[in-house]
Amino acid sequence: MSLSGAVAMGTGVMIGAGIFALTGQIAQLAGPLFPLSFVAGAVVTALAAYSYIKMSNAWPSSGGIAMILQKAYGPGTIAASASLLMALSMVINESLVARTFATYALRPFGLETNGIMLAALALALIVFAYLVNAAGNRSVSALSIVMSAIKIGGIAIFAVAAIWASGLGGGAFAEPVTGLDGSGFDGAGFIASIAFSILAFKGFTTITNSGGEIVDPHRNVGRTIMIAIGICVVTYLLVAVAVGSSLDIGEIVAARDYSLAAAARPALGQIGFWFTIVIAVTATASGVVASVFAVSRMLTMLTEMKMIPHSHFGMKGTLRSHLLVYTVVVAGTLAVLFDLTRIAALGAFFYLVMDMLVHWGVLRHLRREIGARAEILLAAIAADAVVLAAFTWIKLRSDPAIVAYAVLGIVLVFTGEHWFLNRKEPVTRHPG
């Protein structure tokens, strides 16, 4: 992939998840300050990107996060488990964005609450993403460039027009800044919202995982990551201000699955509503295509490194084609069966734990080899830890079950990987 194709793929994943799937959840936690949550998320992501850029410049490869973890910890339980947590968070993201695609597509017909239709349309998008990816890297790159150009331009037009029509003094920005209980500002709620904002930017890891597919990766991986983050923070801030100027916090939360469409109608009328629907469908569709590309490559590398088990289940073709099938099957199952608001929170827990393990491994074992600065790595770990603590505290207050599910999931991943990597190979007896 070219530099432009890699940037398009990264922004495709980031914008598909961030704006259309997470804006309502961020606003619920951060209140009228929710646009600043995206800025804070970009700062934390930029700190996090330092480790990935330094490592990718030294050893670019597909499935780059698995490579980073293995070089930091060796081919053991920590590296395999953290890599699997990353892969799971990416699959969760695919499901979340696919459901968001279905919600926007059905909104004009008043069917956005029809569970069967939502599940069927989300599954159809995931199957489409499989077909595009099965056609090869050039298909993914070409589609990503075209769709990213359409959606970034369209989102910018929507944001500027909505801000122009509504001004900056109404909607959520006219409300007092209060905590979750209606009292004074709740700093924990704002910090917790950054966990979702980080998810909105974590598409930059798509670029790291596909480093081996990018032209001149030693030079272009880092450039691609920083360009993608820069494009996305400007886009997110514009859209957040546009939504906040058109809707109050209650309306944003109520329309969390289609907040841009809800904001477009009062600001821009019926034409604006339909324009936003088209852009949202385009953005989320390209996000799923790009994410399936990245996670299937990462799982292929994990399998080749013998860090996760594999069975072909009678399928023909290459290992990569098998992992592509597994990726879309798991994503499709999640999209059909589960509440993705909760699964988004689960994805945040998985990603933050994995991210801290990456930075700690680089700090302890690889810093001197790749020329990384310890103070930046420590700042990245501290930022992740503060956000994770606040997010855990807020979820313990509002939904303690999801915290238990996250802890259980992490324990199962580490336990399962430990068993797989340390199992005894069967003894083969030869006749005679």
Side-chain angles (χ1 to χ4, degrees), residues 140-158:
V140 176
S141 180
L143 181 67
S144 294
I145 292 173
V146 172
M147 297 187 81
S148 289
I150 292 173
K151 70 184 178 185
I152 291 173
I155 288 171
I157 292 171
F158 155 77

Side-chain angles (χ1 to χ4, degrees), residues 6-333:
V7 170
M9 183 183 67
T11 55
V13 176
M14 294 157 81
I15 293 177
I19 285 297
F20 299 102
L22 297 171
T23 300
Q25 296 183 53
I26 292 170
Q28 185 175 21
L29 292 172
L33 297 179
F34 76 95
L36 296 181
S37 178
F38 285 110
V39 177
V43 172
V44 175
T45 301
L47 287 172
Y50 181 75
S51 291
Y52 299 92
I53 291 173
K54 282 290 188 180
M55 290 294 295
S56 295
N57 286 345
W59 300 291
S61 69
S62 299
I65 291 175
M67 175 274 297
I68 293 172
L69 288 161
Q70 188 182 54
K71 285 187 178 295
Y73 295 104
T77 300
I78 295 178
S81 300
S83 298
L84 188 55
L85 287 177
M86 180 62 198
L88 289 172
S89 74
M90 294 170 73
V91 174
I92 288 168
N93 178 73
E94 292 166 18
S95 304
L96 176 66
V97 180
R99 290 283 294 214
T100 306
F101 164 87
T103 302
Y104 272 88
L106 294 172
R107 172 63 179 165
F109 311 103
L111 298 173
E112 69 275 5
T113 59
N114 185 310
I116 295 176
M117 292 293 292
L118 278 171
L121 200 53
L123 183 60
L125 174 60
I126 291 171
V127 172
F128 170 75
Y130 165 77
L131 295 174
V132 172
N133 277 272
N137 294 0
R138 291 187 177 181
S139 298
V140 176
S141 180
L143 181 67
S144 294
I145 292 173
V146 172
M147 297 187 81
S148 289
I150 292 173
K151 70 184 178 185
I152 291 173
I155 288 171
I157 292 171
F158 155 77
V160 172
I163 293 170
W164 181 270
S166 302
L168 296 175
F173 304 135
E175 299 181 47
V177 177
T178 60
L180 296 178
D181 59 359
S183 60
F185 172 64
D186 185 353
F190 179 82
I191 296 173
S193 74
I194 299 172
F196 285 131
S197 298
I198 291 170
L199 280 187
F201 286 98
K202 86 175 185 70
F204 85 87
T205 59
T206 300
I207 301 164
T208 305
N209 289 336
S210 304
E213 313 282 350
I214 298 173
V215 174
D216 191 8
H218 293 278
R219 181 173 178 230
N220 283 334
V221 169
R223 293 173 63 195
T224 301
I225 288 173
M226 297 314 296
I227 292 170
I229 292 174
I231 290 172
C232 287
V233 69
V234 172
T235 304
Y236 290 168
L237 192 57
L238 275 174
V239 171
V241 171
V243 171
S245 65
S246 301
L247 304 174
D248 61 37
I249 293 299
E251 291 170 331
I252 296 171
V253 173
R256 68 171 61 198
D257 293 334
Y258 51 91
S259 56
L260 267 69
R265 197 186 293 274
L268 305 174
Q270 192 68 10
I271 293 177
F273 170 80
W274 277 102
F275 177 80
T276 306
I277 291 292
V278 171
I279 296 301
V281 168
T282 301
T284 49
S286 64
V288 172
V289 170
S291 184
V292 167
F293 175 87
V295 73
S296 63
R297 267 53 178 180
M298 181 177 180
L299 288 173
T300 298
M301 187 174 195
L302 288 175
T303 304
E304 290 174 341
M305 296 163 67
K306 301 188 184 304
M307 296 172 75
I308 58 175
H310 174 72
S311 174
H312 55 74
F313 293 108
M315 290 188 295
K316 298 180 179 180
T318 64
L319 177 63
R320 180 175 288 184
S321 66
H322 298 172
L323 271 300
L324 181 60
V325 172
Y326 303 158
T327 298
V328 299
V329 167
V330 174
T333 301

